[in-house]
Amino acid sequence: MPVSNINQIEQLVAQQRAFFASGATRAISARILLMKQIYQSVKNHEQEILDALAADLGKSSMEAYMTEIGITLKELSHTMKHVERWAKPQRRATWLANFHGKSMVVSEPYGVTLVMSPWNYPFLLTMDPLADALAAGNTAVVKPSAYSPATSNIIKKIIQTFF
């Protein structure tokens, strides 16, 4: 949803905080399903992404695929494959003073994240951090680059397909 003033931004962040507080982003299965939806949406809109990158940056289809779409798809695949292991608590050595205890590192999501993309790799540097934030159990507010409007429009279209 495009926002134009500070009240809309505050309302959007409040909605994201409320959604995060509901606990809907905690389940690993829900995170993996979301990654699969993003992956499929990128695949479904591949030609539109190529056209947008050509319009905004003059990238050839080969360059656009190799530097933006292909890397995004590979990162999504890697994240889906490993997110369950990354989310598990990891055992650590316990100090001698606490010899009866167990030490663990427990990965916890932060809450609401902001993803802002630059103009030079607008698709890759929006979708990769977005996918990582969502895989970690966070929610995200996305601010695509104003200097690549065609790519920003396709990113909006892709995001709206799964939200």
Side-chain angles (χ1 to χ4, degrees):
M1 156 175 95
V3 293
S4 59
N5 66 40
I6 193 71
N7 291 334
Q8 288 177 319
I9 294 170
E10 289 174 350
Q11 183 181 20
L12 180 61
V13 171
Q15 289 171 346
Q16 292 293 310
R17 285 187 177 138
F19 183 71
F20 177 76
S22 74
T25 64
R26 292 223 175 246
I28 302 299
S29 59
R31 298 181 202 180
I32 293 171
L33 178 62
L34 190 55
M35 296 297 103
K36 288 179 182 177
Q37 290 173 336
I38 294 170
Y39 186 94
Q40 193 58 50
S41 186
V42 171
K43 292 289 283 180
N44 291 344
H45 294 92
E46 188 174 309
Q47 188 58 50
E48 294 171 74
I49 299 164
L50 293 171
D51 294 342
L53 290 168
D56 287 338
L57 302 171
K59 287 189 176 187
S60 68
S61 59
M62 181 64 75
E63 179 187 7
Y65 189 86
M66 288 178 58
T67 62
E68 303 226 25
I69 299 170
I71 295 172
T72 299
L73 293 173
K74 189 65 176 171
E75 288 288 329
L76 283 165
S77 295
H78 182 76
T79 301
M80 284 187 281
K81 184 177 178 182
H82 296 286
V83 69
E84 194 167 351
R85 183 174 52 100
W86 292 338
K88 287 183 180 177
Q90 299 172 7
R91 189 158 179 154
R92 294 291 191 256
T94 303
W95 288 27
L96 185 58
N98 300 321
F99 67 93
H100 282 294
K102 292 182 181 176
S103 298
M104 305 287 276
V105 173
V106 180
S107 300
E108 292 286 330
Y110 289 120
V112 180
T113 58
L114 173 64
V115 176
M116 293 179 64
S117 69
W119 64 271
N120 56 346
Y121 291 94
F123 187 77
L124 173 69
L125 296 178
T126 300
M127 297 306 289
D128 271 0
L130 174 63
D132 292 342
L134 297 175
N138 298 303
T139 63
V141 175
V142 179
K143 168 56 178 88
S145 174
Y147 296 107
S148 51
T151 306
S152 295
N153 287 335
I154 191 63
I155 290 169
K156 177 183 174 187
K157 186 176 179 180
I158 288 170
I159 290 172
Q160 287 178 336
T161 62
F162 55 89
F163 288 116

